[in-house]
Amino acid sequence: MTISDALGRVVRSRLFFPLVCLALVLLLNVIVTMSTTGSPGPFFQITLTNGALNGPLITILNRSSELVILAVGMTLVVSCSAGTDISVGAVMALSGAVSIWALGFGQLAQNDYHVKEYVVPYAVGLLVALAVGAVCGAWNGFLVSRLKIQPMVATLILYTGGRGAAKVFADGQIDKVDVANYKWLGNFIQDSQGNNLVPIPTAIFIAAAVVVATALVLRHTALGMNIQSVGINSRASRIVGLKSARIILLAYAFCGVCAAVAGIIATSRIGGIDANNCGKMLELDAILAVALGGNSLAGGKFSLTGSVIGAVTIQALTTVLYSINVSADQLPLYKAIVVVIIVILQSPQLRPLLRRGRDGLKRLLPGDRAAAAA
Amino acid sequence: MNLKIKKIALALTGAAMSLSFAACSAGTDSSTDPTRGDDSTVAADDSGYNLVPRDSNGDGLITLGFAQVGAESGWRTANTQSYKDYFVEANGFKLVFLDANQDADKQKQDVRDLIAQGVEVIDLAPVTDSGWEPILQEAKDAGIPLIVSDRQLSVSDDLYLTYFGGNMEEEGKTAVKWLQDYISANNISDPINIVHLQGTIGSTAQKGRTKALDDAAPGNGWNVVYQQTGEFTQAKGQEVMESFLQQGKDFNVIYSENDDMTYGAIDALQAAGKDPKEYIIISFDGNKSAVQMVIDGLIDVIAECDPLLGPQVGALINQAAAGQTIAKVTYSQEGFIDSTNAVEKIKTAFGS
């Protein structure tokens, strides 16, 4: 095997471009670290202080948890319906609001909108959040699969209405939860003295669990293949006996559950529900993560790993922009510039151009030509 | 139909009233206070605005229509509650409360609804600071005095009774002064490195509070090592603080432009294994949870932006109704909360 053949195989791999993008953004992080501290070391440094692992890499992984989870759900939705679910940010807020409303049931207003102790068990609160996510997702799926409404229009309903409903459940307030274990899922699991029992942010484990569980289910059942075939040709799939509508409904419901899990993490991070801001604009980052992962937004074949890489790339980009003091309100502009570059890199029209360039290069390299002749 | 007739009648009487008032005030001196320069802070009597709150429907109560921004922060919800608590019959008031949910168009409709309902005085806490002239004119034409609160409008001052609210730059100066005093009282000789968490860029609160620090830092030899907006939210404050912490730069002061971002910053410090008590933490607003954190030693000082404005607005309306001259700009009474007065503050302001 020649070098260029091996190289060609790597380049043609689905994950090549997503990985290159991630590497580029990480490189940017390293350069910025070098320019401020004089060496690239601090970027890779992970230290243990007071029972918490610290370091840029940990921060990026921790902060990308919600996005990774949303991207997993979004990938399946995109694959089977060739459309996007733009309601995930609002569903995060709604599931968080309903969950806290349940946890402080009937006592929120008289306690200054603080949950002093759980009225229903914490586990019930979590299940309520997941149920809200599932119902919202199933509603979206029903509109898309049964009523054949365009995905963006169908999910626009909850995109606008979901946040409003969240404010109704939160009574227009920022509801806080004062019980210590409420903050565990978005921060660290602690003992009763407030010392960390696990030095790694809990959200990383949750994101990993969602990714692994989804991947296992898709691999060990026909579901993954069914989703792709529905996305490639929904009619043909129905003719060969797949229940296309049911598969689409399932994918949206699952996406809703993913949004609820992300909502649980986001509310736990701040120990309360800020219905105005929870998950705000995150739906766009989730769609972007899917696209950055090398998945076509026109549906069909998908790569879960790609979406996960895409999500981490976006968070790494956000982190580097923060650390070079780009103001948060200008962040979208810089993100857009990077996205344009990445999307151009991934364009299928660009690849033949690159290949032509590579062939030209090959002709100039005598060693390779000799190898090819042999 | 009925409402429409009422509206027209109201508009007519309003127009007649303003005409007669205009006639009265035609001869008044219209010179402005030279010390104020081009500022809009001039006395009411030369502005051509002569509406005063009064009990026009004779029910013995003054009906206040309050067009509130929304419920976007802890400060805002405390602010709303204070109006609801104060404007009750026992104090001689009735309250009509409308929440714009941060939607400027809805708020304009809200004010029109208040005019149509014939409330006796309007308090407008505007979502945006532009495009209000026609609506203020409508209120004036209807003969309903209008108080602008919380956010100053760049409109001609003969369109409203008075502006009432916090002076954001003054709050910033209060915080800066506290820091100067703290440094000299504790003989701190280390360099002062400040992490500056800004509010939503362009908001009145952000501009005033940022200006105070930006003005003071060079002269005092303070370094602002990081300046980033946390958009007044806890989640963003936490995220921005985390990303700063991983740069590993030295700092000893956090200047956070509202309480919600301060909560987030403290969480980020703790998550990174740092003790918030080792840093000088300056916050703004003074919500109950934040005052409790001052008592617990987590926050060092809060430059107060008192949300409990109901009673002060009530006093202002009573003064105007009694025929007293009201200044065009009235600032709420504010100070700071630190370890010396936090316990007392939580008792008097929050009753616990």
Side-chain angles (χ1 to χ4, degrees), chain A residues 36-37 43 49-50 52 54-56 59-60 62-63 112 114 167 172-174 176 183 187-188 196 269-271 274 276-277 315 318-319 321-329, chain B residues 70-74 77-78 81 101-102 198 201 225-231 233-236 238-240 242-243 246-247 249 260 263 267 270-275 288-289:
Chain A
T36 49
T37 63
F43 182 71
T49 11
N50 296 339
N54 268 299
T59 306
I60 290 172
N62 177 25
R63 278 285 157 193
D112 253 347
H114 281 247
K167 285 187 218 171
Q173 308 276 331
I174 298 176
K176 293 288 181 68
K183 280 195 164 186
N187 299 283
F188 295 89
N196 293 350
R269 279 197 203 280
I270 67 167
D274 179 354
N276 274 310
N277 296 298
Q315 189 54 46
T318 309
T319 307
L321 291 175
Y322 276 144
S323 56
I324 53 176
N325 276 14
V326 170
S327 174
D329 57 337
Chain B
E72 76 283 9
S73 65
T77 54
Q81 198 54 47
N101 286 321
Q102 290 161 279
Q198 296 174 291
I201 302 296
V225 290
Y226 189 63
Q227 191 172 52
Q228 177 64 277
T229 175
E231 297 180 344
T233 70
Q234 183 177 348
K236 207 79 181 193
Q238 187 182 18
E239 186 180 356
V240 164
E242 270 177 19
S243 77
Q246 53 149 286
Q247 294 177 32
K249 286 188 194 160
D260 298 85
Y263 306 149
D267 279 345
Q270 286 170 335
K274 295 182 190 302
D275 184 359
K288 189 177 175 186
S289 307

Coordinates of all heavy atoms in Angstrom, one line a residue, chain A residues 36-37 43 49-50 52 54-56 59-60 62-63 112 114 167 172-174 176 183 187-188 196 269-271 274 276-277 315 318-319 321-329, chain B residues 70-74 77-78 81 101-102 198 201 225-231 233-236 238-240 242-243 246-247 249 260 263 267 270-275 288-289:
Chain A
T36 N -1.0 33.5 25.5 CA -1.2 34.1 26.8 C -0.2 33.6 27.9 O 0.2 34.3 28.8 CB -2.7 33.9 27.3 OG1 -3.0 32.5 27.2 CG2 -3.6 34.7 26.5
T37 N 0.1 32.3 27.8 CA 1.0 31.7 28.9 C 2.4 31.4 28.4 O 3.2 31.1 29.2 CB 0.3 30.5 29.4 OG1 0.3 29.5 28.4 CG2 -1.0 30.7 30.0
F43 N -3.0 24.2 28.2 CA -4.2 23.7 27.6 C -4.5 22.3 27.9 O -5.7 21.8 28.0 CB -4.2 24.0 26.1 CG -5.5 23.6 25.4 CD1 -6.6 24.4 25.6 CD2 -5.6 22.5 24.6 CE1 -7.8 24.0 25.0 CE2 -6.8 22.1 24.0 CZ -7.9 22.9 24.2
T49 N -7.9 19.9 42.1 CA -8.0 20.8 43.3 C -9.2 20.6 44.1 O -10.3 20.6 43.5 CB -8.0 22.3 42.8 OG1 -8.2 22.3 41.4 CG2 -6.7 23.0 43.2
N50 N -9.1 20.4 45.3 CA -10.3 20.2 46.2 C -11.3 19.2 45.6 O -12.5 19.5 45.6 CB -10.9 21.5 46.5 CG -10.0 22.5 47.3 OD1 -9.0 22.0 47.9 ND2 -10.3 23.8 47.2
A52 N -11.9 18.3 42.6 CA -12.5 18.6 41.3 C -11.3 18.6 40.2 O -10.3 19.3 40.4 CB -13.2 20.0 41.3
N54 N -9.7 19.9 37.0 CA -9.8 21.2 36.4 C -8.9 21.2 35.1 O -7.8 20.7 35.2 CB -9.3 22.3 37.3 CG -10.5 22.8 38.0 OD1 -11.4 23.4 37.4 ND2 -10.5 22.7 39.3
G55 N -9.3 21.9 34.1 CA -8.5 22.1 33.0 C -9.4 22.4 31.8 O -10.5 22.1 31.8
P56 N -8.8 23.1 30.8 CA -9.6 23.5 29.6 C -10.3 22.3 29.0 O -11.5 22.4 28.6 CB -8.5 24.0 28.7 CG -7.4 24.5 29.6 CD -7.4 23.6 30.7
T59 N -13.3 21.4 31.0 CA -14.3 22.4 30.8 C -15.1 22.3 29.5 O -16.3 22.3 29.4 CB -13.7 23.8 30.8 OG1 -13.0 23.9 32.0 CG2 -14.8 24.9 30.8
I60 N -14.3 22.0 28.4 CA -14.9 21.9 27.1 C -15.9 20.7 27.1 O -17.0 20.8 26.7 CB -13.9 21.8 26.0 CG1 -13.2 23.1 25.8 CG2 -14.5 21.3 24.7 CD1 -12.0 23.0 24.9
N62 N -17.3 19.2 29.6 CA -18.4 19.4 30.6 C -19.4 20.3 29.9 O -20.6 20.0 29.9 CB -17.8 20.0 31.8 CG -18.9 20.4 32.8 OD1 -20.0 19.8 32.8 ND2 -18.7 21.4 33.7
R63 N -19.0 21.4 29.3 CA -19.9 22.4 28.7 C -20.6 21.9 27.5 O -21.6 22.4 27.1 CB -19.1 23.7 28.4 CG -19.0 24.6 29.6 CD -20.3 25.3 29.9 NE -20.3 25.7 31.3 CZ -21.4 26.1 31.9 NH1 -22.5 26.1 31.3 NH2 -21.4 26.5 33.2
D112 N -41.4 32.0 48.2 CA -40.6 33.0 47.4 C -40.0 32.3 46.2 O -39.0 32.7 45.7 CB -39.4 33.4 48.3 CG -39.5 34.8 48.8 OD1 -40.4 35.5 48.2 OD2 -38.8 35.2 49.6
H114 N -38.8 29.4 45.8 CA -37.7 28.5 46.1 C -38.3 27.1 46.5 O -39.3 27.1 47.3 CB -36.9 29.0 47.3 CG -35.9 30.1 46.8 ND1 -34.6 29.9 46.8 CD2 -36.1 31.4 46.4 CE1 -34.0 31.1 46.4 NE2 -34.9 31.9 46.1
K167 N -42.8 29.5 31.0 CA -43.0 30.6 31.9 C -44.2 30.5 32.8 O -44.3 31.0 33.9 CB -43.0 31.9 31.1 CG -41.6 32.3 30.6 CD -41.7 33.7 29.9 CE -40.8 33.7 28.7 NZ -41.0 34.9 27.9
G172 N -43.7 32.9 35.8 CA -43.0 34.1 35.4 C -41.8 34.4 36.3 O -41.2 35.5 36.2
Q173 N -41.3 33.5 37.1 CA -40.2 33.8 38.0 C -39.0 32.9 37.6 O -39.2 32.0 36.8 CB -40.6 33.4 39.5 CG -41.9 34.1 39.9 CD -41.7 35.5 40.4 OE1 -40.7 35.8 41.0 NE2 -42.7 36.3 40.3
I174 N -37.9 33.2 38.2 CA -36.8 32.3 38.2 C -36.9 31.4 39.4 O -36.6 31.8 40.5 CB -35.4 33.0 38.1 CG1 -35.4 33.9 36.9 CG2 -34.3 32.0 38.1 CD1 -34.1 34.7 36.8
K176 N -36.0 28.6 42.0 CA -34.8 28.0 42.5 C -35.0 26.8 43.3 O -36.1 26.7 44.0 CB -34.0 29.0 43.3 CG -33.4 30.2 42.6 CD -32.3 29.8 41.7 CE -31.7 31.0 40.9 NZ -31.0 31.9 41.7
K183 N -28.2 20.0 42.5 CA -27.1 20.5 41.7 C -26.2 19.5 41.2 O -25.2 19.8 40.5 CB -26.4 21.6 42.5 CG -27.1 23.0 42.4 CD -26.2 24.1 42.9 CE -26.7 25.5 42.5 NZ -25.8 26.5 42.8
N187 N -23.3 19.6 38.1 CA -22.0 19.9 38.7 C -21.3 18.7 39.1 O -20.9 17.9 38.3 CB -22.2 20.9 39.8 CG -22.9 22.2 39.3 OD1 -22.2 23.1 38.7 ND2 -24.2 22.4 39.5
F188 N -21.1 18.5 40.5 CA -20.4 17.4 41.0 C -21.3 16.6 42.0 O -22.1 17.2 42.7 CB -19.1 17.8 41.6 CG -18.1 18.4 40.7 CD1 -18.1 19.7 40.5 CD2 -17.2 17.6 40.1 CE1 -17.1 20.3 39.6 CE2 -16.2 18.1 39.2 CZ -16.2 19.5 39.0
N196 N -16.6 16.9 47.0 CA -16.9 16.2 45.8 C -16.6 14.7 46.0 O -15.5 14.4 46.5 CB -16.1 16.7 44.6 CG -16.5 18.1 44.2 OD1 -17.5 18.5 44.7 ND2 -15.7 18.7 43.4
R269 N -27.4 22.8 36.7 CA -26.2 23.7 36.7 C -26.4 24.9 37.5 O -25.5 25.3 38.3 CB -25.8 24.1 35.3 CG -25.0 23.1 34.5 CD -24.4 23.7 33.3 NE -24.1 22.8 32.2 CZ -23.0 21.9 32.2 NH1 -22.2 21.9 33.2 NH2 -22.8 21.1 31.2
I270 N -27.5 25.6 37.3 CA -27.8 26.8 38.1 C -28.7 26.6 39.3 O -29.0 27.5 40.0 CB -28.4 27.9 37.2 CG1 -29.8 27.6 36.7 CG2 -27.5 28.2 36.0 CD1 -30.5 28.8 36.1
G271 N -29.2 25.4 39.4 CA -30.0 25.1 40.6 C -31.4 25.8 40.5 O -31.9 26.3 41.4
D274 N -34.6 29.1 34.7 CA -34.7 30.5 34.1 C -35.3 30.3 32.7 O -34.7 30.1 31.7 CB -33.3 31.1 34.0 CG -33.3 32.5 33.4 OD1 -34.3 32.9 33.0 OD2 -32.2 33.1 33.4
N276 N -36.7 32.0 30.5 CA -36.3 32.9 29.4 C -35.0 32.5 28.7 O -34.9 32.7 27.5 CB -36.1 34.3 29.9 CG -37.4 35.1 30.0 OD1 -38.1 35.1 29.0 ND2 -37.7 35.7 31.1
N277 N -34.1 31.9 29.5 CA -32.8 31.7 28.9 C -32.3 30.3 28.8 O -31.3 30.0 28.2 CB -31.7 32.5 29.8 CG -32.0 34.0 29.7 OD1 -31.9 34.5 28.6 ND2 -32.3 34.6 30.8
Q315 N -18.4 23.6 21.0 CA -18.1 24.1 22.4 C -16.7 24.5 22.5 O -16.3 25.5 23.1 CB -18.4 23.0 23.4 CG -18.3 23.5 24.8 CD -19.2 24.7 25.1 OE1 -20.4 24.8 24.7 NE2 -18.6 25.7 25.7
T318 N -16.5 27.9 21.1 CA -17.1 28.9 22.0 C -16.0 29.2 23.1 O -15.8 30.4 23.5 CB -18.4 28.4 22.7 OG1 -19.2 27.9 21.7 CG2 -19.1 29.4 23.5
T319 N -15.4 28.2 23.6 CA -14.4 28.4 24.7 C -13.3 29.2 24.3 O -12.8 30.1 25.0 CB -13.9 27.0 25.2 OG1 -15.1 26.2 25.5 CG2 -13.1 27.2 26.4
L321 N -13.2 31.4 21.9 CA -13.6 32.8 21.6 C -13.8 33.5 22.9 O -13.4 34.7 23.0 CB -14.9 32.8 20.8 CG -14.8 32.3 19.4 CD1 -16.2 32.2 18.7 CD2 -13.9 33.2 18.6
Y322 N -14.3 32.8 24.0 CA -14.4 33.5 25.3 C -13.0 33.8 25.8 O -12.8 34.9 26.3 CB -15.0 32.5 26.3 CG -16.5 32.6 26.3 CD1 -17.2 31.4 26.6 CD2 -17.2 33.7 26.1 CE1 -18.6 31.4 26.6 CE2 -18.6 33.7 26.2 CZ -19.3 32.6 26.4 OH -20.6 32.6 26.4
S323 N -12.0 32.9 25.6 CA -10.7 33.2 26.2 C -9.9 34.2 25.4 O -9.0 34.8 26.0 CB -9.9 31.9 26.3 OG -9.8 31.2 25.1
I324 N -10.3 34.5 24.2 CA -9.6 35.7 23.6 C -10.5 36.9 23.7 O -10.4 37.9 22.9 CB -9.3 35.5 22.1 CG1 -10.5 35.0 21.3 CG2 -8.1 34.5 22.0 CD1 -10.2 34.9 19.8
N325 N -11.4 36.9 24.7 CA -12.2 38.1 25.1 C -13.1 38.6 24.0 O -13.4 39.8 23.9 CB -11.3 39.3 25.5 CG -11.0 39.1 27.0 OD1 -11.2 38.1 27.6 ND2 -10.5 40.2 27.6
V326 N -13.6 37.6 23.1 CA -14.7 38.0 22.2 C -15.9 38.2 23.0 O -16.3 37.3 23.8 CB -14.8 36.9 21.1 CG1 -16.1 37.2 20.3 CG2 -13.6 36.9 20.2
S327 N -16.6 39.3 22.9 CA -17.7 39.5 23.7 C -18.8 38.5 23.3 O -19.0 38.2 22.2 CB -18.2 41.0 23.5 OG -19.4 41.2 24.1
A328 N -19.5 38.0 24.4 CA -20.5 37.0 24.1 C -21.6 37.4 23.1 O -22.1 36.6 22.4 CB -21.2 36.6 25.4
D329 N -21.9 38.7 23.1 CA -22.9 39.1 22.1 C -22.4 39.2 20.7 O -23.2 39.2 19.8 CB -23.6 40.4 22.5 CG -22.6 41.5 22.7 OD1 -21.4 41.2 22.9 OD2 -23.0 42.7 22.6
Chain B
G70 N -41.4 42.7 32.2 CA -41.6 41.2 32.1 C -41.2 40.6 33.4 O -41.4 41.2 34.5
A71 N -40.6 39.4 33.4 CA -40.2 38.8 34.6 C -38.9 38.1 34.4 O -38.6 36.9 34.7 CB -41.2 37.8 35.1
E72 N -37.9 38.9 33.7 CA -36.7 38.2 33.2 C -35.6 38.0 34.3 O -34.7 37.3 34.1 CB -36.2 39.1 32.1 CG -35.4 40.4 32.4 CD -36.4 41.5 32.8 OE1 -37.6 41.3 32.9 OE2 -35.9 42.6 33.0
S73 N -35.7 38.7 35.4 CA -34.7 38.5 36.5 C -35.3 38.5 37.8 O -36.5 38.9 38.0 CB -33.6 39.6 36.3 OG -34.2 40.8 36.6
G74 N -34.5 38.1 38.8 CA -35.0 38.2 40.2 C -35.3 39.6 40.6 O -36.3 39.8 41.3
T77 N -38.9 40.5 39.2 CA -40.0 39.9 39.9 C -40.2 40.5 41.3 O -41.3 40.7 41.7 CB -39.9 38.4 39.9 OG1 -38.6 38.1 40.5 CG2 -39.9 37.8 38.6
A78 N -39.1 40.9 41.9 CA -39.2 41.5 43.2 C -39.8 42.9 43.1 O -40.7 43.3 43.9 CB -37.8 41.6 43.9
Q81 N -43.6 42.5 42.6 CA -44.2 42.2 43.8 C -44.4 43.4 44.7 O -45.4 43.6 45.4 CB -43.4 41.1 44.6 CG -44.2 40.4 45.6 CD -45.5 39.8 45.1 OE1 -45.5 39.2 44.0 NE2 -46.6 40.0 45.8
N101 N -44.0 40.8 28.9 CA -43.2 39.6 28.5 C -42.0 40.0 27.7 O -41.7 39.3 26.7 CB -44.0 38.6 27.8 CG -44.9 37.8 28.8 OD1 -44.5 37.5 29.9 ND2 -46.1 37.5 28.4
Q102 N -41.4 41.2 27.9 CA -40.3 41.7 27.2 C -40.6 41.9 25.7 O -39.7 42.0 24.9 CB -39.1 40.7 27.3 CG -38.5 40.7 28.7 CD -37.7 39.5 28.9 OE1 -38.2 38.4 29.2 NE2 -36.4 39.6 28.8
Q198 N -20.0 41.8 32.7 CA -20.9 42.8 32.3 C -22.3 42.3 32.1 O -22.5 41.2 31.8 CB -20.4 43.5 31.0 CG -19.0 44.2 31.2 CD -18.5 44.6 29.9 OE1 -18.1 43.8 29.0 NE2 -18.5 45.9 29.7
I201 N -25.0 43.9 26.9 CA -24.3 45.1 26.3 C -25.4 46.1 25.8 O -26.2 45.7 25.0 CB -23.3 44.7 25.2 CG1 -22.3 43.7 25.8 CG2 -22.7 45.9 24.6 CD1 -21.4 44.3 26.9
V225 N -8.5 42.4 34.4 CA -7.8 41.3 33.6 C -8.8 40.6 32.7 O -8.4 39.9 31.8 CB -7.2 40.3 34.6 CG1 -6.0 40.9 35.3 CG2 -8.2 39.7 35.6
Y226 N -10.1 40.7 32.9 CA -11.0 40.0 32.0 C -12.3 40.8 32.1 O -12.8 41.2 33.1 CB -11.3 38.6 32.5 CG -12.1 37.7 31.6 CD1 -11.6 37.4 30.4 CD2 -13.3 37.2 32.0 CE1 -12.4 36.6 29.5 CE2 -14.1 36.4 31.2 CZ -13.6 36.0 30.0 OH -14.3 35.2 29.1
Q227 N -12.9 41.1 30.9 CA -14.1 41.8 30.8 C -15.0 41.1 29.8 O -14.6 41.0 28.6 CB -13.8 43.3 30.3 CG -15.0 44.2 30.4 CD -14.7 45.6 30.2 OE1 -14.1 45.9 29.1 NE2 -15.0 46.5 31.1
Q228 N -16.1 40.6 30.2 CA -16.9 39.8 29.3 C -18.4 39.9 29.8 O -18.6 40.0 31.0 CB -16.4 38.3 29.4 CG -17.2 37.3 28.6 CD -17.2 37.6 27.1 OE1 -17.9 38.4 26.5 NE2 -16.3 36.9 26.4
T229 N -19.3 39.8 28.8 CA -20.7 39.9 29.2 C -21.2 38.6 29.6 O -21.0 37.6 29.0 CB -21.6 40.5 28.1 OG1 -22.9 40.5 28.6 CG2 -21.4 39.8 26.8
G230 N -22.0 38.6 30.7 CA -22.7 37.4 31.1 C -24.2 37.5 30.9 O -25.0 36.8 31.4
E231 N -24.6 38.6 30.2 CA -25.9 38.9 29.8 C -26.9 38.8 30.9 O -28.1 38.5 30.7 CB -26.3 38.0 28.7 CG -25.4 38.2 27.4 CD -25.7 37.3 26.2 OE1 -26.4 36.3 26.4 OE2 -25.3 37.7 25.2
T233 N -27.5 36.8 33.2 CA -28.1 35.6 33.6 C -27.1 34.7 34.4 O -25.9 34.8 34.2 CB -28.6 34.7 32.4 OG1 -27.4 34.2 31.7 CG2 -29.5 35.5 31.5
Q234 N -27.6 33.9 35.2 CA -26.8 33.0 36.1 C -26.0 32.0 35.2 O -24.8 31.8 35.4 CB -27.7 32.3 37.1 CG -26.9 31.4 38.0 CD -27.8 30.8 39.1 OE1 -28.9 31.1 39.2 NE2 -27.2 29.8 39.8
A235 N -26.7 31.4 34.2 CA -26.1 30.4 33.4 C -24.9 30.9 32.7 O -23.8 30.3 32.6 CB -27.1 29.8 32.5
K236 N -25.1 32.1 32.1 CA -24.0 32.7 31.3 C -22.9 33.2 32.2 O -21.7 33.1 31.9 CB -24.6 33.9 30.5 CG -23.9 34.2 29.2 CD -24.3 33.2 28.1 CE -23.5 33.6 26.8 NZ -24.1 32.8 25.7
Q238 N -22.0 31.9 34.9 CA -21.2 30.7 35.3 C -20.3 30.2 34.2 O -19.1 30.0 34.4 CB -22.2 29.6 35.7 CG -21.6 28.3 36.3 CD -22.6 27.3 36.5 OE1 -23.7 27.3 36.0 NE2 -22.3 26.3 37.4
E239 N -20.8 30.2 33.0 CA -20.0 29.7 31.8 C -18.8 30.6 31.5 O -17.7 30.2 31.3 CB -20.9 29.6 30.6 CG -20.2 28.9 29.4 CD -21.1 28.8 28.2 OE1 -22.3 29.2 28.3 OE2 -20.6 28.4 27.2
V240 N -19.1 31.9 31.6 CA -18.0 32.9 31.3 C -16.9 32.8 32.4 O -15.8 32.9 32.1 CB -18.7 34.3 31.2 CG1 -17.6 35.4 31.3 CG2 -19.4 34.4 29.9
E242 N -16.2 30.3 34.2 CA -15.5 29.0 34.0 C -14.4 29.2 33.0 O -13.3 28.7 33.1 CB -16.4 27.9 33.5 CG -17.1 27.1 34.6 CD -18.1 26.1 34.1 OE1 -18.0 25.8 32.8 OE2 -18.9 25.7 34.8
S243 N -14.8 29.8 31.8 CA -13.8 29.9 30.8 C -12.7 30.8 31.1 O -11.5 30.6 30.7 CB -14.5 30.3 29.5 OG -14.7 31.7 29.5
Q246 N -10.1 28.8 33.5 CA -9.2 27.8 32.9 C -8.0 28.5 32.3 O -7.1 27.9 31.9 CB -10.0 27.0 32.0 CG -10.7 27.7 30.9 CD -10.8 27.0 29.6 OE1 -9.8 26.9 29.0 NE2 -11.9 26.4 29.4
Q247 N -8.1 29.8 32.1 CA -6.9 30.5 31.6 C -5.8 30.6 32.7 O -4.6 31.0 32.4 CB -7.2 31.9 31.1 CG -8.2 32.0 30.0 CD -8.5 33.4 29.6 OE1 -7.8 34.3 29.7 NE2 -9.8 33.6 29.1
K249 N -5.3 32.8 35.0 CA -4.7 34.1 35.3 C -5.0 34.5 36.8 O -6.0 34.0 37.4 CB -5.4 35.2 34.4 CG -4.8 35.2 33.0 CD -5.4 36.4 32.2 CE -5.2 36.2 30.7 NZ -6.0 37.1 30.0
D260 N -27.6 37.8 39.6 CA -27.7 36.5 39.0 C -26.4 36.0 38.5 O -26.0 34.9 38.6 CB -28.8 36.5 37.9 CG -30.2 36.8 38.4 OD1 -30.5 38.1 38.5 OD2 -30.9 35.9 38.7
Y263 N -24.2 34.8 41.3 CA -24.5 33.4 41.7 C -23.7 32.4 40.8 O -23.1 31.5 41.3 CB -26.0 33.0 41.6 CG -26.9 33.9 42.3 CD1 -28.2 34.1 41.8 CD2 -26.6 34.6 43.5 CE1 -29.2 34.9 42.4 CE2 -27.5 35.4 44.1 CZ -28.8 35.6 43.6 OH -29.7 36.4 44.2
D267 N -20.6 29.8 41.8 CA -20.7 28.4 41.5 C -19.5 27.9 40.7 O -18.9 26.9 41.0 CB -22.0 28.1 40.7 CG -23.2 28.0 41.5 OD1 -23.1 27.8 42.8 OD2 -24.3 28.0 41.0
Q270 N -16.5 27.6 43.0 CA -16.5 26.4 43.8 C -16.3 25.2 43.0 O -15.6 24.3 43.5 CB -17.9 26.4 44.5 CG -18.0 27.4 45.7 CD -19.4 27.5 46.3 OE1 -20.4 27.2 45.6 NE2 -19.5 27.9 47.5
A271 N -16.8 25.2 41.8 CA -16.6 24.0 40.9 C -15.1 23.8 40.6 O -14.6 22.7 40.4 CB -17.4 24.1 39.6
A272 N -14.4 24.9 40.5 CA -13.0 24.9 40.2 C -12.1 24.6 41.5 O -10.9 24.8 41.5 CB -12.5 26.2 39.5
G273 N -12.8 24.4 42.6 CA -12.1 24.1 43.8 C -11.5 25.3 44.5 O -10.6 25.2 45.3
K274 N -12.1 26.5 44.2 CA -11.6 27.7 44.8 C -12.7 28.2 45.8 O -13.8 28.0 45.7 CB -11.4 28.8 43.7 CG -10.3 28.5 42.8 CD -10.1 29.6 41.8 CE -9.2 29.3 40.7 NZ -7.8 28.8 41.1
D275 N -12.2 28.9 46.9 CA -13.0 29.4 47.9 C -13.5 30.8 47.6 O -12.6 31.7 47.6 CB -12.3 29.3 49.3 CG -13.2 29.7 50.4 OD1 -14.4 30.0 50.2 OD2 -12.7 29.6 51.6
K288 N -32.9 39.0 47.7 CA -32.9 38.4 49.0 C -31.7 37.3 49.1 O -31.0 37.3 50.0 CB -34.2 37.8 49.3 CG -34.3 37.3 50.7 CD -35.7 36.7 51.0 CE -35.8 36.1 52.4 NZ -37.1 35.5 52.6
S289 N -31.6 36.4 48.1 CA -30.6 35.4 48.1 C -29.2 36.0 48.2 O -28.3 35.5 48.9 CB -30.7 34.5 46.9 OG -32.0 34.0 46.7

